Amino acid sequence: MALFKKKEKQDYSGLVLPEHIGIIMDGNGRWAKSRMLPRSAGHRAGAKVFRTITRYCSDIGIKYLTVYAFSTENWRRPADEVSALMRLFKDYLEEALSDFKDDTIVVRFIGDKSQFDDDLRALMVENEEESKDRDGMVLNIAMNYGSRDELVRAVKSISEGVKDGSIDINSIDEKTVSDHLYTAGQPDPDLIIRPSGEYRISNFMLWQAAYTEFVIMNKLWPDFTTDDLDEAIKLFNQRNRRFGGV
Ligand code: IPE
Ligand code: IPE
Ligand code: MG
């Protein structure tokens, strides 16, 4: 049974929902390998779980969900795996446009869109446009996202501002940097979940995760369920966040 009731901030046992959850959707390849299937089958299974978890987060009242779908380093994978992933992204974005018309979810992409082919980029832009005035959960899909790349872009853009006089160098502070990231205007993630048992951040939200709580789970992403999400939220509630204080 789902732990959280629809659209309620707290469940019966008084758990607090994180405002922003990040998920590093990892383990598709190992899931496929253990079934002697091609890696693309793992990505297909992972894409299904992504749909279920996104819907669940929206239903229980999460305000921001950021999913790591494809990193700036994932282009290093074999061409057939990359093209299978691009196909799955297209399928999802076409489905979102045709079937999710009445949805409340705001879809945003974080990452560099310029490296995707024209069709895929057009679908990304269309999904953003179509959903931008909705009032529900913000879903950031990190595609061709790398946090170091994001920071380099921020440095360049701030430097441009200094050069053209729109930014005073003495006024640059942490907010200036945050405001030049893909996540500008959004709260930092409270909780980042990494399935598949890897204890690393793999270039995900390095700046934004300064005080994020991490939950590493041993399940592979295609096996991840809404109960696992409940479990991660329960673990999050047991943490004592101090933000450097006492
Ligand atoms: C995550 O699963 C999906 C992407 C990175 C695109 P992986 O494909 O990394 O799966 P493992 O880590 O090899 O099992
Ligand atoms: C992180 O997973 C990226 C995504 C889940 C999209 P990777 O599988 O690429 O990370 P590493 O290689 O294990 O660090
Ligand atoms: Mg992986």
Side-chain angles (χ1 to χ4, degrees), residues 72-137:
T72 46
E73 288 74 41
N74 287 148
W75 298 104
R76 295 177 188 156
R77 296 185 178 203
D80 63 334
E81 179 171 349
V82 171
S83 58
L85 281 163
M86 297 303 142
R87 183 68 257 161
L88 286 168
F89 294 150
K90 272 186 197 159
D91 289 349
Y92 171 73
L93 295 176
E94 277 165 0
E95 176 191 314
L97 284 178
S98 65
D99 300 351
F100 306 165
K101 284 254 175 260
D102 301 324
D103 214 311
T104 59
I105 297 176
V106 179
V107 182
R108 305 213 42 241
F109 293 93
I110 62 170
D112 174 14
K113 291 190 187 81
S114 72
Q115 265 171 279
F116 295 111
D117 74 31
D118 292 348
D119 289 356
L120 184 49
R121 195 171 41 253
L123 280 168
M124 292 164 85
V125 173
E126 227 181 310
N127 268 276
E128 286 185 327
E129 277 297 310
E130 181 81 21
S131 67
K132 71 178 191 316
D133 297 323
R134 295 177 184 167
D135 60 359
M137 181 179 82

Side-chain angles (χ1 to χ4, degrees), residues 26-27 30 39 77 194 196:
D26 194 22
R30 278 163 281 175
R39 292 179 61 88
R77 296 185 178 203
R194 181 159 192 165
S196 93

Side-chain angles (χ1 to χ4, degrees), residues 68 71-73 145-149 201-206:
Y68 202 6
S71 75
T72 46
E73 288 74 41
Y145 174 86
S147 195
R148 286 185 166 184
D149 177 62
I201 194 161
S202 301
N203 206 6
F204 186 56
M205 300 188 109
L206 302 177

